Amino acid sequence: HSSMVGEGYDVKCAGFLVAKELENFSKVLDNPTKPVLAILGGAKVSDKIQLIKNMIPKVDKMIIGGGMAYTFLKVLDKMEIGTSLYDEEGAKIVPEIMSLAKEKNV
């Protein structure tokens, strides 16, 4: 995005809005007011594996939505999902993610 890349300029920096977003993320991730709920979405579990694993120890509950939800539902509940999004690579990691979540009571 050109507002963060600064295409054509020698000095590149992020603006005050990005600084405020990072400050707010830090409050939630480093010293959160409990309970903490994470709502994650997207198409592919495999794209979000590290994010999910990093968030599990920091949250009390997690909701998986978007296209990722179909992969979880198919793997965990053997649900027929028709032509809905399914991440074959991500499906291999769902049991590990759920095991970690259960271990942390998420």
Side-chain angles (χ1 to χ4, degrees), residues 16-80:
F16 296 115
L17 182 57
V18 173
K20 187 171 179 117
E21 288 173 355
L22 291 173
E23 180 183 324
N24 287 327
F25 276 129
S26 177
K27 286 178 188 175
V28 171
L29 296 176
D30 297 337
N31 191 19
T33 302
K34 296 286 188 167
V36 176
L37 168 66
I39 303 173
L40 304 175
K44 297 170 77 177
V45 177
S46 56
D47 289 347
K48 309 281 186 309
I49 294 167
Q50 203 55 54
L51 174 64
I52 294 169
K53 286 181 176 180
N54 287 343
M55 292 299 293
I56 287 173
K58 298 176 184 291
V59 302
D60 299 294
K61 298 288 181 193
M62 183 178 290
I63 296 173
I64 303 289
M68 284 194 301
Y70 293 111
T71 300
F72 276 83
L73 290 169
K74 183 171 181 170
V75 171
L76 299 173
D77 298 337
K78 310 288 187 255
M79 180 182 283
E80 292 294 325

Side-chain angles (χ1 to χ4, degrees), residues 77-94:
D77 298 337
K78 310 288 187 255
M79 180 182 283
E80 292 294 325
I81 61 170
T83 60
S84 296
L85 290 174
Y86 178 71
D87 179 5
E88 203 164 321
E89 285 302 307
K92 298 173 186 173
I93 296 114
V94 167

